Amino acid sequence: MIKNYLKTAWRNLLQNKVTSFISIAGLAVGICCFLLLATYLINELRYDRFHQKADRIVRIIQNHKSPDYKEVNTIAVTPTAPVPVFKQQLSEVEDGVRIIDYSDMRPAIVQFGDKLFKEKNVLMADESFFKIFSFKFIAGNAGSALGNSSSIVITSSTANKYFGTDNPIGKILKVDGANNMMVAGVVEDVPEYSQIKFDMVGSYAMMPRSLTRKWDSANDYSYLLLKPGADRVAAEKKINAHLNDLFKNDLSAGEKIWYNLEPLTSIHLYSTAGGLEPSGNIKYVYILSIVAVILLVLACVNFLNLVTARSAERSKEIGVRKVMGAQRKQLFFQFITEAGIITLVSLIAGVVFATFCFPAFSDFSGQALNFKTWNITWLVTAVLGLFFIVTLLAGTYPSLYLSAFKPVVILKTKSTGAAGGNTLRKSLVVFQFIVSVFFIISTLVAGSQLRYMQNLNTGMDRSQVMVLDIGGMPFNNLEPFKNAIAQNPGITGTTASYNSPVNVRGGYSINSADGKNSDFNLPVTATPIERSFIKTMGMTLVAGRDLDLGDEQQVRKDSLRQYSFILNETAIAAMGWKPEQAIGKHIGLNGRTGTIKAVAKDFNFSSLHQKIEPLVVFPEYDWFGKLLVKTNGKNTAGTIAAMEAQWHKFYPNSPFEYHFLDQEFEEMFKTDQRTGSILQAFTMVTIFISCLGLFGLAVFSTRQRVKEIGIRKVLGANVMSIVGLISSDFLKLVLIAVVISSPLAWYAMSAWLQDFAFRIDIQWYVFLLAGGMAILIAFITVGYQSFKAALSNPVKSLRSE
């Protein structure tokens, strides 16, 4: 019996090649896209779960609320004291580790023999680092690798870069020309799905800050390992009770400091505090999950629609089978077998397509993806699950629908004997195009938002600005190089700052100001700059004057420094002043005292997801992190070559590396760009699947109306009137889909845009454009078959009557 089902199903598929191809192609593309997106989502969801103790590791997040500012300041770093103190005092804590991003401000210069590299992923961590986190050792011992203050652990690719095939254990690496670090271990390269990434990990004990336990100066990423069964919430309450007791005499009325404990496995997708690498976004996981499911459902709907459309052609076959004694369950299994064969062929094709698409999709998504991302058990389960789910989704209703035909009605008339089939097919076409139009609108809005972010006037001139990482370099060592390159005609300005101007992260507070109470405290972001910063970066002052040589001289003194501060408009507003009123007022900033010399027009100094917060910039020449070089854009290659020559002249033991400020700015919303690109690509796929289904339905529709078309042509109807007649039925359905999908898309994209502090308004013409595109695509799809039918010879179509 089963053999007969398979043989009959296979013959039927071969007999209807167009239908079979459309069904298989639609399902294969849907399955391929589902597997690609599922792989991407698995990679996002498995972040940090490879650590054996991942379910017990938490990160300490620090929060501060000042009564003088309405926003809560949340940061992912802490002072040096929390980890050692909580290890001693909390019964829930088994161990802890502090991590410093040593290369945060600038790459570390690492040398071995004649090999010299700038390393951008160097961490310093407590000895417990490799006891808590499960990075796999190739050589060395995880328990003691960081036991010595001069120890360093490197990854296998780093070991190969410096030592080739030689044994690296015991070799000495010179870090920043002063620290001799002995290689005590080699670990496998850090997985891409780890939010703690490194090429080298040195001992935290080599840092001067390791000798003190302070509750200020937050620079450490602090992790605690909870004991098995420990209650994270209870530990958090004890920590905050300790903080309340510790700071009870230091905080002003209404001021609060508290810690949260973030589970390690939730940091990548849920944390808003930042971290060692840019975070993902759980909302994008939800969005892409929905896209993956919708694509699969669309492909199933496509198949379902085509099968029910063919019901008229198969009705007599079903009637004859029933007259000959076939039972309904036998017919059901016959049709479900056909669906199973199509699903199996589509599944094999989809898996093959996905395998070939992974390299391109990996470049597209910025992640190294393939079927190895899956656990083999999950993969087998997913493939089998897809087979059964798709077979049931795509085959159950058509099988029930076809097997229910009544033979008396079928053989007596040309009707299928089943009402509602035409309504169902129209409903499914509307559903397909609701999804397609929804994605078209979403893609248009997302693209507009990304272009807006790229082209937004952020209050500074980022164009043609080169950034050199020079962190730790005293200005006295930097000044000769600045003066030398300033002679180059391709360079229009140079300046230096502690932070990059598009990613300022310094946490400070204005703790005294004219006319304010003695306990005044306003959290601000602040960064030291060189006096030429405002001019070079093209910023606008709304009040006061720019920094000058006198301001520089005042802060280059060894003692009795007097600072000139520049505050942004938001900071001035938070203090209750107008820009003109603020000029000349005295303020204190983390021990620095001076006067407000100018007020700068607000500019974006962090992600566009965040609104502009209070900012202070001030001249300070102790050391800088970034050298910013403004070029005129002419002969850029020659300018860079001349700069490199001067660099090697002044700093022969440091590699010359640079990037452009625009690149750094765009890097901040790369996750948004990637998600937008993925959405754009799969919008094309939804359109393709929908058009496949529409084309198949157009084929059946024209086939069923072939005699009607012949009669109309004999009676004088022209080609365009027949094309319009056939196309109008489908275009009405697409128009209904546009009307339904537009408010849904507006609501969804309005919610998405709320994540951006700087965002576009959704314009009415987006919906008009999306609707027009959908109607045009549908007309092209249906129009081909309509023209073909309209041009057919009516004599041939009527001869068989």
Side-chain angles (χ1 to χ4, degrees):
M1 181 68 72
I2 295 176
K3 182 179 179 181
N4 183 57
Y5 287 158
L6 292 172
K7 186 184 293 184
T8 305
W10 185 251
R11 286 174 179 171
N12 188 62
L13 294 178
L14 293 179
Q15 185 180 356
N16 298 276
K17 294 182 177 63
V18 174
T19 310
S20 301
F21 173 78
I22 291 175
S23 298
I24 290 170
L27 279 175
V29 171
I31 290 169
C32 171
C33 294
F34 179 85
L35 290 172
L36 291 175
L37 284 172
T39 305
Y40 175 85
L41 295 171
I42 286 172
N43 197 63
E44 286 287 283
L45 293 169
R46 69 173 175 167
Y47 253 74
D48 298 313
R49 297 181 186 274
F50 65 94
H51 298 293
Q52 293 177 1
K53 304 171 185 175
D55 60 330
R56 294 194 284 130
I57 302 172
V58 295
R59 184 178 71 170
I60 303 176
I61 297 299
Q62 181 170 279
N63 305 280
H64 177 245
K65 175 68 175 71
S66 169
D68 298 302
Y69 192 57
K70 61 182 180 180
E71 301 293 336
V72 174
N73 183 29
T74 301
I75 55 176
V77 289
T78 71
T80 59
V83 167
V85 169
F86 298 151
K87 279 174 63 176
Q88 291 177 345
Q89 296 188 359
L90 267 66
S91 59
E92 290 87 353
V93 176
E94 179 179 311
D95 206 345
V97 61
R98 296 166 295 182
I99 303 171
I100 283 280
D101 188 352
Y102 184 82
S103 53
D104 179 39
M105 288 306 305
R106 64 169 179 85
I109 299 170
V110 181
Q111 185 175 8
F112 176 73
D114 60 349
K115 294 182 178 180
L116 187 70
F117 296 99
K118 280 188 174 181
E119 298 291 349
K120 298 180 180 179
N121 291 302
V122 180
L123 306 179
M124 295 293 168
D126 284 320
E127 182 182 357
S128 54
F129 180 80
F130 290 108
K131 300 175 186 176
I132 294 175
F133 298 106
S134 306
F135 296 105
K136 190 173 180 180
F137 269 74
I138 298 172
N141 184 283
S144 59
L146 296 179
N148 189 295
S149 62
S150 62
S151 296
I152 194 166
V153 175
I154 61 179
T155 61
S156 59
S157 59
T158 304
N160 184 63
K161 181 168 67 174
Y162 285 94
F163 310 111
T165 58
D166 293 346
N167 181 12
I169 302 298
K171 297 286 197 309
I172 303 297
L173 293 172
K174 183 173 284 188
V175 180
D176 287 335
N179 302 306
N180 290 325
M181 310 286 286
M182 184 183 73
V183 179
V186 179
V187 297
E188 289 184 356
D189 286 350
V190 179
E192 285 292 321
Y193 45 95
S194 171
Q195 57 97 15
I196 300 176
K197 291 186 172 70
F198 60 86
D199 295 317
M200 299 179 171
V201 180
S203 173
Y204 186 88
M206 73 161 281
M207 308 286 290
R209 63 188 292 109
S210 68
L211 302 175
T212 61
R213 291 188 180 182
K214 291 187 175 182
W215 291 96
D216 58 2
S217 184
N219 289 289
D220 298 355
Y221 293 95
S222 298
Y223 295 82
L224 298 176
L225 175 66
L226 302 181
K227 292 178 180 178
D231 187 336
R232 177 176 61 87
V233 176
E236 194 174 276
K237 288 180 178 178
K238 289 183 181 180
I239 285 172
N240 289 319
H242 178 85
L243 293 179
N244 290 336
D245 185 61
L246 183 70
F247 295 120
K248 63 183 178 182
N249 297 322
D250 299 322
L251 299 179
S252 59
E255 185 179 8
K256 289 180 62 178
I257 293 177
W258 71 99
Y259 288 168
N260 293 125
L261 300 181
E262 280 189 321
L264 176 69
T265 53
S266 70
I267 292 174
H268 175 67
L269 291 176
Y270 292 92
S271 180
T272 58
L276 286 164
E277 74 155 17
S279 296
N281 190 326
I282 190 61
K283 287 186 178 180
Y284 290 149
V285 170
Y286 294 147
I287 290 170
L288 294 179
S289 298
I290 293 170
V291 171
V293 172
I294 284 177
L295 283 170
L296 192 61
V297 170
L298 270 185
C300 294
V301 164
N302 209 33
F303 174 69
L304 189 154
N305 222 352
L306 292 173
V307 172
T308 54
R310 285 191 55 223
S311 60
E313 295 185 352
R314 301 197 68 178
S315 59
K316 285 193 165 37
E317 172 198 341
I318 296 165
V320 171
R321 283 177 178 272
K322 284 198 168 186
V323 168
M324 296 298 292
Q327 297 179 5
R328 183 176 181 181
K329 66 178 182 179
Q330 292 174 315
L331 292 172
F332 174 82
F333 284 116
Q334 172 65 56
F335 296 128
I336 205 75
T337 301
E338 290 182 17
I341 290 176
I342 288 178
T343 301
L344 181 61
V345 174
S346 302
L347 186 60
I348 293 170
V351 170
V352 172
F353 290 164
T355 303
F356 284 108
C357 289
F358 269 128
F361 188 64
S362 296
D363 293 338
F364 207 51
S365 64
Q367 298 181 4
L369 302 174
N370 51 51
F371 280 125
K372 292 179 181 178
T373 302
W374 295 68
N375 175 295
I376 187 64
T377 304
W378 293 359
L379 182 58
V380 172
T381 303
V383 171
L384 291 175
L386 275 175
F387 173 74
F388 288 111
I389 290 171
V390 173
T391 300
L392 291 174
L393 280 176
T396 300
Y397 176 79
S399 300
L400 292 172
Y401 175 74
L402 294 173
S403 63
F405 288 173
K406 297 176 181 178
V408 175
V409 178
I410 292 170
L411 297 177
K412 199 172 188 179
T413 68
K414 293 186 179 180
S415 169
T416 63
N422 194 42
T423 302
L424 173 69
R425 288 193 294 277
K426 289 181 178 180
S427 300
L428 294 178
V429 169
V430 170
F431 170 75
Q432 285 184 313
F433 274 88
I434 285 174
V435 173
S436 297
V437 174
F438 181 93
F439 280 129
I440 291 172
I441 294 171
S442 300
T443 301
L444 291 173
V445 173
S448 297
Q449 174 64 19
L450 291 172
R451 286 191 299 274
Y452 171 77
M453 292 164 70
Q454 288 173 317
N455 300 320
L456 177 69
N457 181 0
T458 58
M460 72 174 77
D461 184 4
R462 302 186 310 271
S463 64
Q464 300 299 325
V465 176
M466 294 174 58
V467 182
L468 280 68
D469 294 307
I470 55 164
M473 184 180 291
F475 187 73
N476 289 338
N477 294 350
L478 177 63
E479 196 168 22
F481 173 71
K482 276 186 76 241
N483 293 335
I485 64 173
Q487 308 304 315
N488 190 304
I491 294 175
T492 60
T494 62
T495 191
S497 66
Y498 183 91
N499 292 116
S500 165
V502 299
N503 192 17
V504 182
R505 290 176 288 170
Y508 291 71
S509 63
I510 298 176
N511 43 36
S512 66
D514 285 348
K516 303 296 181 183
N517 296 330
S518 59
D519 61 354
F520 178 80
N521 186 291
L522 175 66
V524 297
T525 303
T527 186
I529 59 170
E530 192 190 353
R531 63 181 170 90
S532 55
F533 181 83
I534 298 294
K535 179 182 177 182
T536 303
M537 296 311 302
M539 297 175 184
T540 303
L541 297 180
V542 297
R545 294 180 295 107
D546 198 0
L547 302 172
D548 55 31
L549 182 59
D551 299 312
E552 175 184 332
Q553 291 172 342
Q554 284 293 324
V555 296
R556 295 187 73 174
K557 296 177 180 179
D558 293 331
S559 60
L560 299 176
R561 292 182 176 180
Q562 284 296 310
Y563 287 84
S564 295
F565 298 105
I566 298 179
L567 281 65
N568 69 350
E569 293 172 299
T570 300
I572 295 298
M575 298 183 76
W577 297 332
K578 292 182 179 179
E580 295 77 11
Q581 295 174 330
I583 304 304
K585 289 190 182 293
H586 288 78
I587 63 171
L589 181 79
N590 287 62
R592 302 168 179 85
T593 58
T595 58
I596 298 174
K597 185 168 186 180
V599 177
K601 185 177 178 62
D602 278 343
F603 68 93
N604 296 91
F605 57 87
S606 60
S607 169
L608 295 181
H609 284 272
Q610 303 166 359
K611 62 182 181 181
I612 295 175
E613 297 182 344
L615 174 76
V616 180
V617 295
F618 55 92
E620 190 169 78
Y621 286 74
D622 296 338
W623 67 282
F624 292 107
K626 310 287 181 182
L627 177 63
L628 307 167
V629 181
K630 179 77 171 177
T631 68
N632 60 14
K634 301 175 183 177
N635 189 23
T636 303
T639 301
I640 293 172
M643 284 179 57
E644 183 173 9
Q646 291 290 343
W647 179 271
H648 290 310
K649 178 180 175 182
F650 284 93
Y651 315 111
N653 295 323
S654 177
F656 176 76
E657 294 182 0
Y658 69 92
H659 62 271
F660 283 94
L661 192 59
D662 269 334
Q663 295 173 322
E664 189 175 338
F665 178 74
E666 291 181 6
E667 192 75 23
M668 297 173 68
F669 50 91
K670 182 170 284 186
T671 299
D672 303 306
Q673 288 180 315
R674 286 173 177 166
T675 305
S677 298
I678 291 172
L679 185 63
Q680 186 176 22
F682 289 108
T683 296
M684 301 299 293
V685 173
T686 61
I687 293 171
F688 171 74
I689 293 175
S690 298
C691 288
L692 270 182
L694 197 60
F695 179 78
L697 289 176
V699 170
F700 285 117
S701 177
T702 53
R703 192 182 297 175
Q704 289 178 338
R705 301 177 71 175
V706 65
K707 288 184 171 56
E708 176 194 343
I709 294 169
I711 293 171
R712 286 179 179 276
K713 290 192 73 174
V714 168
L715 293 175
N718 59 33
V719 172
M720 293 309 299
S721 65
I722 293 174
V723 169
L725 175 70
I726 298 172
S727 301
S728 62
D729 291 341
F730 294 103
L731 296 182
K732 288 175 185 175
L733 301 179
V734 176
L735 190 60
I736 293 171
V738 172
V739 172
I740 295 173
S741 64
S742 293
L744 296 176
W746 176 85
Y747 177 81
M749 296 312 293
S750 295
W752 177 72
L753 287 170
Q754 296 307 309
D755 273 351
F756 300 89
F758 298 86
R759 54 183 177 265
I760 61 169
D761 293 321
I762 302 177
Q763 301 296 326
W764 62 268
Y765 60 77
V766 170
F767 303 98
L768 187 63
L769 179 60
M773 289 172 63
I775 291 171
L776 179 62
I777 291 167
F779 180 76
I780 292 171
T781 304
V782 176
Y784 167 77
Q785 192 61 32
S786 300
F787 271 104
K788 185 178 176 182
L791 293 172
S792 64
N793 189 342
V795 176
K796 290 183 179 180
S797 61
L798 296 174
R799 182 178 294 164
S800 62
E801 189 60 50

